[in-house]
Amino acid sequence: MDIVTIVLILAVAGGLLMAFSIGANDAANAMASSVGSRAITVKQAVVIASTLAFAGAVFLGANVAATISRGIINPEMIPDQNLLMLGMLSALLSAGLWVLLATFFGFPVSTTHSIVGSILGFGFVAGGPEVVRWGTMFGIVLSWIISPFFGALLAYLVFSQIRKKVLSAKDFVRNAKLWAPFWLAMTVVLVMVSFLLKMPMGRALGLNIYSTAAIVGAVAVVVWGIGYLVVGRLLHGVEQGPETMEELFRRMQIGMACYMALSLGANDVANAIGPVAAIWVIAQTGGLTATAEVPIWLLLFGGVGIAVGVMVLGKRVMSTVGERITLLTNTRGFSVGFGSATTVLMASNLGMPVSTTHATVGGVVGVGLARGFAAVDFRVLGKIVMYWLLTVPIAAFTSIVIFQLLRWSVY
């Protein structure tokens, strides 16, 4: 068996480890606000996350270029293709191990930043500092600040609006019939914009910005109208009060959880499968091309890994984000989901590499602060932030160590 085949087999194992870690950490924290607010149970969250994350990974998964072309390093400056394969393998193993370790301690970390730090580490050693695209790294550091604060701000504003217009209103039912469909329509707008502009299947339709806006606007109006009728029927004859409104938002929150699981599978599968596919391309063609489609069997592989990860270890991170930072109700959980999804979508459209994890935790803190500083457990938050700050340097260092060991073993 030649070295290329051995590296490819090890890369498949490394990709499975990374996919498992993504499911255990990222998919779990995407469900955390729904679990923490009791909209769904842990068992239901596991079923939703594993099923829809798998579907998102297989049917909406990104291609190799989506990961490789993120521009962490310039692969053309590493002429030895075997060295590049060993580096990608090191990055997979390093990122997978770090995310898995954080999951065991129940802390949410960014799988995107883990793989970025790992690729940075081996690239720095293999090609020197000039091989690293430092502009991308600056954007990532900037995202550490922007995504949690923006997620917190949006969640704070959404929850404050719901509290003022619905929960504190004299006529609960009348205001809920107006505003609950509004947030439902806004959620559908987010889903459609994300699908049409960011997903490969949506981009393949070739719609321009005006056509997209017209379609999304028309669908939003229809959804608001249907929502108005449905909410009116659900609230017909019920006793007016905050508890009734919480039950209404519990149902809306389940839909938000499904959307987050689907989009997470579609976007984050590239973190596990991208480096594997890069090694696959090098093994097949002898070099890393600028763009290359991910084989469907690799997407299936990544989807299965994510599904198994959330089933086996997802509960740990769900508990930290959903229950230990602040007390979540259904309206707060809905606000968190809306704030984090909007943050990630807007940043992605601007080309900013943000983390769903950071935006979700920021959103949880935002709705907590809406009740005052005493409502947020800053000790838990401090530990989470410490893990965020350590992610890139630890992933980079571990990748360097693994890369050097592999290089010394081969050369």
Side-chain angles (χ1 to χ4, degrees):
M1 189 176 294
D2 59 23
I3 184 63
V4 172
T5 305
I6 293 173
V7 171
L8 186 58
I9 293 172
L10 290 175
V12 172
L16 182 61
L17 171 67
M18 187 62 185
F20 178 88
S21 300
I22 289 172
N25 201 293
D26 257 17
N29 75 58
M31 294 288 104
S33 62
S34 300
V35 173
S37 61
R38 307 292 188 268
I40 52 178
T41 65
V42 171
K43 187 178 294 185
Q44 289 169 330
V46 167
V47 172
I48 291 173
S50 56
T51 305
L52 292 181
F54 175 80
V58 174
F59 296 109
L60 302 173
N63 56 27
V64 177
T67 296
I68 303 306
S69 66
R70 285 177 184 176
I72 309 305
I73 62 169
N74 183 358
E76 294 177 358
M77 298 182 69
I78 305 175
D80 188 335
Q81 297 303 305
N82 286 342
L83 211 57
L84 192 56
M85 291 176 67
L86 292 178
M88 288 296 178
L89 174 59
S90 305
L92 272 176
L93 296 175
S94 169
L97 289 173
W98 167 245
V99 177
L100 194 61
L101 180 67
T103 305
F104 270 116
F105 287 99
F107 288 103
V109 295
S110 168
T111 55
T112 302
H113 292 180
S114 299
I115 196 71
V116 165
S118 298
I119 293 177
L120 168 71
F122 95 80
F124 196 90
V125 172
E130 63 272 14
V131 82
V132 179
R133 299 186 193 275
W134 293 106
T136 303
M137 290 307 302
F138 175 76
I140 291 171
V141 172
L142 200 61
S143 78
W144 290 343
I145 303 170
I146 292 176
S147 55
F149 279 94
F150 200 66
L153 177 64
L154 273 180
Y156 177 90
L157 292 175
V158 171
F159 176 66
S160 297
Q161 196 275 345
I162 293 173
R163 183 168 59 181
K164 180 181 179 181
K165 296 294 184 181
V166 180
L167 297 179
S168 301
K170 290 183 179 178
D171 191 340
F172 285 93
V173 173
R174 175 182 171 278
N175 280 26
K177 286 169 66 178
L178 291 174
W179 287 104
F182 169 78
W183 291 114
L184 194 62
M186 289 296 291
T187 303
V188 172
V189 167
L190 281 171
V191 173
M192 288 194 66
V193 170
S194 177
F195 175 78
L196 293 174
L197 297 182
K198 299 303 298 179
M199 301 300 178
M201 290 178 65
R203 291 200 300 265
L205 297 175
L207 298 175
N208 59 35
I209 189 68
Y210 301 108
S211 300
T212 301
I215 293 172
V216 171
V219 172
V221 171
V222 172
V223 169
W224 187 91
I226 294 174
Y228 183 85
L229 296 175
V230 172
V231 171
R233 176 167 294 185
L234 287 173
L235 298 180
H236 180 69
V238 300
E239 183 178 350
Q240 294 203 27
E243 293 78 12
T244 304
M245 300 304 110
E246 290 292 342
E247 174 59 24
L248 175 63
F249 276 88
R250 184 187 72 81
R251 300 186 184 202
M252 294 169 60
Q253 198 182 351
I254 294 172
M256 180 68 74
C258 293
Y259 161 54
M260 293 187 70
L262 187 72
S263 60
L264 184 138
N267 287 290
D268 282 20
V269 71
N271 291 336
I273 296 309
V276 182
I279 294 172
W280 167 263
V281 170
I282 294 172
Q284 297 295 312
T285 66
L288 184 57
T289 56
T291 58
E293 294 296 326
V294 175
I296 187 65
W297 66 269
L298 273 181
L299 289 174
L300 284 165
F301 193 73
V304 170
I306 292 175
V308 174
V310 72
M311 282 191 283
V312 175
L313 290 177
K315 186 177 179 181
R316 293 170 183 261
V317 173
M318 284 183 201
S319 172
T320 300
V321 180
E323 298 173 353
R324 293 177 59 192
I325 298 175
T326 192
L327 178 65
L328 291 177
T329 60
N330 296 123
T331 47
R332 293 173 196 150
F334 178 84
S335 304
V336 171
F338 189 89
S340 58
T342 305
T343 298
V344 173
L345 178 66
M346 291 177 66
S348 298
N349 290 339
L350 294 173
M352 289 290 295
V354 299
S355 161
T356 306
T357 301
H358 293 191
T360 300
V361 172
V364 172
V365 174
V367 297
L369 290 176
R371 295 187 297 131
F373 282 90
V376 177
D377 190 333
F378 285 98
R379 289 176 301 175
V380 175
L381 182 62
K383 291 179 181 177
I384 291 174
V385 172
M386 182 188 69
Y387 271 77
W388 290 357
L389 294 176
L390 291 174
T391 290
V392 169
I394 286 185
F397 177 75
T398 309
S399 178
I400 290 171
V401 172
I402 296 174
F403 176 66
Q404 293 289 37
L405 290 174
L406 289 173
R407 185 159 68 171
W408 290 336
S409 301
V410 173
Y411 290 91

